[in-house]
Amino acid sequence: MSRPTVLVIAPMPAFPTSAGNRRRLVTTCESLARGGFAVDLAYFAHEDQIYRRFGQHPPTDASAMARHFQRTFRIEPKAAIPLKTRARHFRIDDWCPDELVDFVAWYCAAYPETRAVLVNYVFLSRCLVAVPPGRLTLIDTHDRFADRQAQYRPFRAEPNFFYTDAAGEAAGLDRADVVLAIQAEEAAHFAAITRAHIHLLPPHFPARRPFRAPERLARIGFIGHGNDPNLFSIGRFAEAWSADWRPGRPILVIAGEICAGLGARPRPGIELAGYVDRIEDFYDGVDLVVAPMLMGSGLKMKVAEALSFGVPVIGTSIGFEGFSPIAPAHRCAGVDEVKAQVLTLVEDARGLAALTEACANLFASYNSGTQAAEDALLTLLRAHIGDLIPERGDAVPPAAIDGHDPVTLALPGGALTCVAGLGTAEPDDARHGILIATERAAPPGTAPYSPERRRWFVQAEQGPSRGIASGLAGAEVALGPEWVRGRRLPPALRAAVAVEIAGVQPDWEAEARLVGAGPRRFVVALALPSHLVVGRHPGAAFLIEPDAALELTLGAITPLGLAQGLPFLSATRTDLAPVPASLTLDGGEAPTNGGLLLILHDDLVGRVRLPAAGSSPGLHP
């Protein structure tokens, strides 16, 4: 008997499971698979875009997703997803563009046998309007978003994730037949504002290690994604922990992507482990985990994960929301109380044994509830869809993955290699070198919404050309931010790579005029994207001339109050509003015969035309 299919749509990839929302996505899909469903996963590449805008390579493992799900799809946002709003809150559909609605309409026509569509996060609920009648629709909420911005006020910070008002959240939830809540308090809230059926589904975490009670505390840990709740919470805890740390006290080990946001300044008693490839290695290397959470909604996946590895946890009441905690160590009021609880147990073997037992009991009670909730959800789905679902069975066998031979172009001092197919989470490749760019669209000849991409790598080793004629010419790419900001390649090879990148489709174009020059320095006036004019933006600049290419140093950027604007030729993203500015460039002479100035900023490619001496670009009226 064939397994009915559920389409699952998410704005984050499933793998690697380096963040709580990814773990939630995977555990929900695993519940569906255990219930006899085949799962198709559609990744709306919102998170990919946001990572690049913050100067990081997005950890996306398309290869692992293809192995785990029946079919996988990738939907590229055509414009920037707004992280800020001038209004009091985002409208419920501000983060759900037309291309996602178009995908759902296409998918439902291409795969009419699909029985249900589940969308992650209420802000993507608009795409459910494209689901034909008769198919079950679900929203996995993850969090409550009504008035979420209020959580930031005690930290004097602005949110950079979605928030809306109660009416907007209710309207989004009303689009679904079933709404999944991650913890009881939020389930009660949603039940009061929507007509949809509310189902409480806390994520199930199978036990990975037996609980072990440490004799003493030598190393305590925290692992997490670099979101604001994590940064604010562990940032304050780390500050309190290091303030009076002395030898003999435990080392606080902080791991995960959050390390990139905590700065490189060494602090007493703090070890930044960075991203870990094997989560088991982190938990096996600490005696206790802290969850000093000061803000956030939903359920703290890091707590459930630590308990699944048998590691005792101490945290705040916010950190243990959804777990029905009893022990005082799970109901701390803030970071100071978490710190005090840890310090009282450093040499207290009996106290550590009691804490470990309390954690084991808490985890057993929690998982008993998650299993019952999963069973109830599967019963609910059978009631809506019918009796075509077999009882619990094995997961769908992985799909076959086609391989592609890489092709290489020799460069002065190195080689440019293009690899097509399903990428892994690694930004660089041991065989091909440093990742410099990923094509935004699927390669020609692939199926609609294919997750396959062409990726370009560079290494400082000369090699023969093999089947690549035009390099990156004409491609629409997202740059590898680490390559743009880093200087790991020899200067001559970086310049040669820039010549190749100069042929891609730019994100923005402008014309400049020379307004000042000195020894190995010149100043141009041009229209720059507005966000480059404010604050500091690490990037790279290259002067491309007919017979040479040279990397320059980006200097001061000063807004110009011109009555007439400088030519801003085009932009592919709606957030790239032009602002007249002067830009200082160091490290080279002003070109006399014109040329091309290539400005790279994380994922953006800017191409600026420099006129020959004696000429200047016209001004727009």
Side-chain angles (χ1 to χ4, degrees):
M1 184 181 297
S2 62
R3 294 170 179 264
T5 296
V6 177
L7 170 65
V8 176
I9 303 167
M12 64 284 183
F15 297 105
T17 53
S18 55
N21 61 350
R22 299 180 184 206
R23 296 187 191 100
R24 169 63 170 182
L25 170 61
V26 170
T27 58
T28 301
C29 292
E30 288 175 342
S31 294
L32 294 171
R34 284 192 292 269
F37 286 94
V39 178
D40 287 351
L41 178 67
Y43 169 38
F44 172 55
H46 173 190
E47 196 169 276
D48 181 280
Q49 181 192 96
I50 290 189
Y51 266 91
R52 295 183 192 277
R53 285 161 68 182
F54 282 95
Q56 301 174 43
H57 175 79
T60 303
D61 195 336
S63 179
M65 288 191 283
R67 292 192 301 269
H68 197 83
F69 297 99
Q70 175 180 250
R71 288 180 289 254
T72 57
F73 305 90
R74 181 179 173 113
I75 307 104
E76 292 286 347
K78 294 180 181 178
I81 305 297
L83 299 181
K84 305 288 184 183
T85 176
R86 295 183 179 180
R88 295 182 62 183
H89 48 75
F90 288 104
R91 295 170 299 179
I92 190 61
D93 297 331
D94 281 351
W95 281 24
C96 188
D98 291 343
E99 47 266 35
L100 187 55
V101 180
D102 294 342
F103 164 78
V104 173
W106 169 85
Y107 174 91
C108 290
Y111 302 100
E113 72 278 6
T114 298
R115 310 299 296 275
V117 178
L118 187 156
V119 63
N120 285 265
Y121 290 110
V122 67
F123 53 74
L124 296 187
S125 61
R126 184 168 80 97
C127 71
L128 293 178
V129 302
V131 178
R135 304 188 197 187
L136 189 68
T137 56
L138 304 92
I139 296 174
D140 192 351
T141 56
H142 286 259
D143 293 288
R144 172 183 171 180
F145 289 100
D147 303 319
R148 194 169 186 265
Q149 70 274 23
Q151 297 182 31
Y152 286 77
R153 291 172 186 159
F155 301 92
R156 297 181 179 179
E158 293 186 11
N160 58 15
F161 199 70
F162 187 83
Y163 56 94
T164 189
D165 62 351
E169 187 165 50
L173 297 175
D174 280 346
R175 290 166 167 157
D177 301 311
V178 178
V179 169
L180 305 180
I182 201 168
Q183 46 112 318
E185 292 84 352
E186 292 183 359
H189 166 74
F190 296 142
I193 65 171
T194 179
R195 62 163 183 80
H197 175 82
I198 306 299
H199 184 84
L200 175 62
L201 185 71
H204 181 73
F205 277 79
R208 306 279 296 274
R209 297 275 197 279
F211 276 89
R212 60 191 190 279
E215 294 292 323
R216 66 178 304 276
L217 298 179
R219 293 165 68 83
I220 62 175
F222 179 95
I223 185 168
H225 182 58
N227 56 39
D228 286 341
N230 283 343
L231 283 170
F232 294 152
S233 301
I234 196 61
R236 291 200 176 183
F237 183 80
E239 182 179 345
W241 186 256
S242 64
D244 59 351
W245 185 87
R246 56 182 180 270
R249 286 187 175 180
I251 297 290
L252 171 61
V253 182
I254 303 175
E257 296 164 31
I258 190 172
C259 293
L262 295 175
R265 177 177 61 88
R267 287 179 284 185
I270 309 293
E271 176 186 318
L272 298 181
Y275 186 83
V276 293
D277 292 324
R278 282 172 37 88
I279 196 73
E280 298 88 345
D281 294 341
F282 169 77
Y283 287 111
D284 290 343
V286 298
D287 305 305
L288 179 142
V289 164
V290 292
M293 305 310 296
L294 301 175
M295 66 176 294
S297 54
L299 184 132
K300 309 306 175 288
M301 307 290 276
K302 61 182 66 63
V303 171
E305 182 180 78
L307 295 175
S308 75
F309 278 93
V311 181
V313 184
I314 293 176
T316 59
S317 297
I318 293 177
F320 277 84
E321 282 182 347
F323 290 90
S324 302
I326 298 174
H330 300 155
R331 296 184 286 118
C332 297
V335 297
D336 291 334
E337 191 172 335
V338 173
K339 175 183 174 180
Q341 287 274 356
V342 173
L343 292 178
T344 61
L345 294 173
V346 172
E347 302 284 351
D348 184 1
R350 182 175 296 179
L352 287 169
L355 172 64
T356 304
E357 183 180 4
C359 288
N361 292 336
L362 181 72
F363 184 59
S365 175
Y366 168 80
N367 255 356
S368 175
T370 64
Q371 191 63 70
E374 178 183 300
D375 291 340
L377 174 64
L378 297 175
T379 299
L380 175 66
L381 294 180
R382 292 187 183 102
H384 278 78
I385 295 175
D387 58 0
L388 296 180
I389 307 172
E391 293 302 313
R392 293 176 179 274
D394 297 329
V396 175
I401 301 172
D402 295 331
H404 300 270
D405 293 331
V407 289
T408 300
L409 173 69
L411 297 177
L416 173 70
T417 298
C418 177
V419 179
L422 297 169
T424 69
E426 297 298 327
D428 298 336
D429 187 280
R431 297 167 299 167
H432 307 307
I434 296 171
L435 177 68
I436 64 165
T438 302
E439 194 163 22
R440 295 186 190 273
T446 55
Y449 301 102
S450 168
E452 294 188 30
R453 292 294 183 272
R454 290 193 295 182
R455 292 164 292 144
W456 284 268
F457 299 84
V458 171
Q459 57 185 342
E461 296 179 6
Q462 189 71 44
S465 296
R466 297 197 310 273
I468 187 170
S470 58
L472 289 112
E476 184 180 355
V477 303
L479 297 178
E482 292 84 356
W483 173 81
V484 174
R485 297 186 179 205
R487 298 293 187 273
R488 291 184 289 165
L489 294 174
L493 183 54
R494 278 180 62 85
V497 171
V499 173
E500 295 296 319
I501 291 178
V504 308
Q505 296 183 35
D507 295 288
W508 59 275
E509 289 188 279
E511 290 185 3
R513 68 183 180 194
L514 185 68
V515 296
R520 296 190 61 76
R521 166 180 288 189
F522 62 96
V523 183
V524 295
L526 74 167
L528 282 172
S530 57
H531 70 282
L532 296 182
V533 180
V534 180
R536 298 186 62 185
H537 301 278
F542 296 87
L543 179 61
I544 312 292
E545 297 183 273
D547 57 351
L550 175 68
E551 183 163 9
L552 304 173
T553 300
L554 289 166
I557 299 176
T558 305
L560 298 176
L562 298 179
Q564 292 178 315
L566 290 153
F568 192 78
L569 303 180
S570 65
T572 59
R573 283 182 13 188
T574 57
D575 62 322
L576 302 181
V579 172
S582 66
L583 169 63
T584 300
L585 296 146
D586 292 304
E589 306 294 336
T592 57
N593 297 318
L596 181 70
L597 183 63
L598 191 67
I599 298 179
L600 310 180
H601 172 240
D602 293 338
D603 69 325
L604 295 181
V605 177
R607 200 159 58 193
V608 179
R609 299 178 189 173
L610 297 173
S615 63
S616 63
L619 297 180
H620 288 308

